[in-house]
Amino acid sequence: MPTIIDGKTTAKKLRESVLHQTEQLKAQGVVPGLAVILVGDDPASQIYVRNKEKACADCGFYSEKHALPASTTEEELLALIDRLNRDDRISGILCQLPVPGHIDEQKVILAIDPKKDVDAFHPQNVGRIMTGDILFAPCTPAGVMTLLDTYGIDPKGKKCVVVGRSNIVGKPQAMLLLHRHGTVTICHSRTVDLPAETRQADILVAAIGKPKFITADMVKEGAVVIDVGMDRDENGKLCGDVDYDNVAPKCSFITPVPGGVGPMTIATLMQNTLLAAKLQHGLQ
Ligand code: GUN
C-alpha cells in the first residue's frame, strides 16, 4: 500500500513556521496584512475565502475581507484594488477567482501591484516563474513541490506528467517541476491517448477539475500521484480528480482529498504574504 502524503500536517508545520517568523517581524514593528476580495456569492469561493481568513488569524496576520455583491462594476473593483495597493497595512492582495462575467479577469490581475501579488498571477510574476527567478511562489504548485520535498521525492530525471494546463495550476506546476530537472509533459483535453501519456508518469499531477477522472488503468505501478482536484462526486461528497480507492493500491505515494494539496495552497499563501511584508519593509 502507498504512503499517504499528509498535507494537513505538513501545512500546519509550515503555518507554525510562518507564525514564528511573524512574531519576529512584529518585534520590529511590522505586521503582515492580507486583503482578500470576493465578488459575488459562489459557495466554493466563500469556503476558500473563509479558510484564508482563518489561516491569517493562525499566522498572526492583519487581514481584511472585502465581500462585494455580484453587481459590483469593474470600475468599483479596480478602485478598491487601487486603494489597497496604496494602503501600508496591506502586504498582499488576493482577489478570489473566478469573478463575475461582466468583469475582465485580466484587468483585475494587472491592477494588483506585483509587489503585493501573493497569488503570483500578474504577468511580471508569471514571467519570473518561467525564468526561475521566482519572487512569489504560485501557491498550489509550490505547495505540491513542498509536499514532494517533505516526502523525499526528487523530480530530477523523472518523467513528470501534469494533466491540466490552467494558468493557476497546470502551467506553473510544469515550470516548477522543470526547474527541478523533471522531464515534463503537459496533457489536456485535446491530448490524443491520454492514458498512454499518464502511464509513463513517475510523478503524475492531476489538475483537471473532473471528479475521479484518473482511473487505475491510467497509472503506472509505483507512481507518485498528486491530486489537485477539489470536486464533488455523484453523491455531492468532496473528492479529487483521482479515483483514489482504485488508484491508491498501485502508487508509492498519493495525496488524499481532502487533506492533501488543499491545505498546502493556503499555507503557501501565508508564506507569500509574510515575504511581501518583508520585501515592503526592506527586510528581505
Ligand atoms: N480560485 C481558485 N484558486 C485560486 C487561487 O489560488 N487564488 C485565487 N485568487 N483564486 C482562486
Side-chain angles (χ1 to χ4, degrees), residues 5-6 10 13 143-153 264:
I5 295 178
D6 183 352
T10 310
K13 285 189 190 142
V144 169
M145 300 310 286
T146 305
L147 286 178
L148 294 179
D149 285 339
T150 303
Y151 283 81
I153 302 160
M264 295 304 295

Side-chain angles (χ1 to χ4, degrees), residues 36-39 44-45 48-49 52 94-99 119:
V36 179
I37 307 169
L38 173 63
V39 188
S45 290
Y48 296 148
V49 165
K52 286 168 187 176
L94 176 149
C95 180
Q96 188 67 31
L97 301 179
V99 286
D119 263 326

Side-chain angles (χ1 to χ4, degrees), residues 78-208:
L78 295 178
L80 171 62
I81 291 171
D82 183 51
R83 184 159 66 71
L84 295 169
N85 279 339
R86 288 183 282 108
D87 186 336
D88 289 339
R89 288 171 306 176
I90 302 299
S91 328
I93 303 169
L94 176 149
C95 180
Q96 188 67 31
L97 301 179
V99 286
H102 64 278
I103 297 175
D104 183 343
E105 186 177 289
Q106 202 53 32
K107 276 193 194 162
V108 174
I109 289 171
L110 282 170
I112 295 174
D113 183 337
K115 293 192 289 300
K116 295 192 176 187
D117 173 36
V118 285
D119 263 326
F121 290 169
H122 191 287
Q124 193 171 310
N125 287 317
V126 173
R128 295 180 69 152
I129 294 163
M130 187 83 173
T131 59
D133 171 33
I134 295 172
L135 180 65
F136 293 116
C139 296
T140 299
V144 169
M145 300 310 286
T146 305
L147 286 178
L148 294 179
D149 285 339
T150 303
Y151 283 81
I153 302 160
D154 185 355
K156 185 173 172 181
K158 303 238 171 72
K159 183 98 175 99
C160 306
V161 177
V162 178
V163 190
R165 54 172 158 179
S166 70
N167 288 335
I168 297 184
V169 183
K171 283 189 230 171
Q173 186 71 72
M175 281 301 135
L176 297 192
L177 289 164
L178 184 62
H179 295 323
R180 295 288 300 277
H181 314 294
T183 301
V184 183
T185 302
I186 307 176
C187 299
H188 47 80
S189 54
R190 315 288 163 86
T191 296
V192 175
D193 202 353
L194 179 65
E197 299 291 340
T198 56
R199 271 197 296 268
Q200 303 270 320
D202 301 310
I203 299 174
L204 178 62
V205 180
I208 307 133

